[in-house]
Amino acid sequence: MPIFRAYEYKDNGGVYNLFLSENQNMVSEQDTLNTAVQAICYLNDHGHYIKKWKISDTLDKSPDIQGNREINIWFWSKYASNSDIDKDGLIEPIFIYGTKTIEGYSKINIIIFYKGKQYSIKAQECDLDECRTLKRNRNYPQLPEKIKLYLDKLLENLRHEQGVILKNG
């Protein structure tokens, strides 16, 4: 997949390269549509690269409760972050991607890596209450309070700037 964005960051663990890729599978005159995204993080170990983690996702081809199908998936790089939120000397990379149907937003996924573990917030957007969800993965409560507060503020920014609901029911 073509690389959409590349980030390099350095912390007490070393120098890392994070690559965000979108497949740019379907192209129209006005826009490029993607059917898959991928994020890969490598540690630069004295000229050798060690893969630390990889995330991949594709469009859901099944219709939602309203009969809509996802038509595009992409990274929301405006909200990506490579900062040391809890000031422990290690960067907590955060990135977001979402999908869209013809009717509007469908899924939004926020991924954060903290001390080598993946944490996520997944939202299903929908006009109907019964199909709208906001879920944090089971390990989420283990995150430090400072990082949870950062993510809560990020959710508020997404609600305000993107016009998404991001809540259950």
Side-chain angles (χ1 to χ4, degrees), residues 25-68:
N25 214 20
M26 298 181 283
V27 179
S28 67
E29 287 186 25
Q30 290 98 10
D31 204 1
T32 300
L33 299 177
N34 307 303
T35 59
V37 294
Q38 185 175 80
I40 304 174
C41 184
Y42 294 97
L43 170 64
N44 184 340
D45 185 23
H46 302 88
H48 295 84
Y49 292 91
I50 301 167
K51 188 187 320 179
K52 298 304 284 182
W53 50 262
K54 177 180 173 181
I55 302 289
S56 298
D57 204 353
T58 60
L59 292 179
D60 185 352
K61 296 185 184 202
S62 59
D64 65 16
I65 194 168
Q66 295 175 295
N68 298 311

Side-chain angles (χ1 to χ4, degrees), residues 7-18 41-44 52 90:
Y7 302 95
E8 180 177 270
Y9 61 92
K10 182 178 180 179
D11 64 16
N12 291 343
V15 177
Y16 296 86
N17 297 107
L18 172 59
C41 184
Y42 294 97
L43 170 64
N44 184 340
K52 298 304 284 182
L90 300 173

Side-chain angles (χ1 to χ4, degrees), residues 81-139:
S81 169
N82 288 315
S83 59
D84 182 7
I85 299 166
D86 64 351
K87 308 294 184 213
D88 67 351
L90 300 173
I91 300 289
E92 291 85 34
I94 298 174
F95 57 93
I96 301 173
Y97 64 90
T99 64
K100 191 172 187 175
T101 66
I102 289 176
E103 300 298 319
Y105 292 118
S106 181
K107 289 188 298 195
I108 298 167
N109 293 315
I110 301 170
I111 309 291
I112 181 170
F113 281 88
Y114 176 71
K115 298 196 183 220
K117 292 184 182 176
Q118 178 185 332
Y119 300 83
S120 64
I121 300 172
K122 295 184 178 197
Q124 175 70 50
E125 287 290 291
C126 185
D127 293 334
L128 304 174
D129 290 346
E130 65 263 19
C131 62
R132 188 180 319 116
T133 61
L134 179 70
K135 298 178 183 175
R136 292 164 173 87
N137 72 340
R138 61 183 166 91
N139 296 331

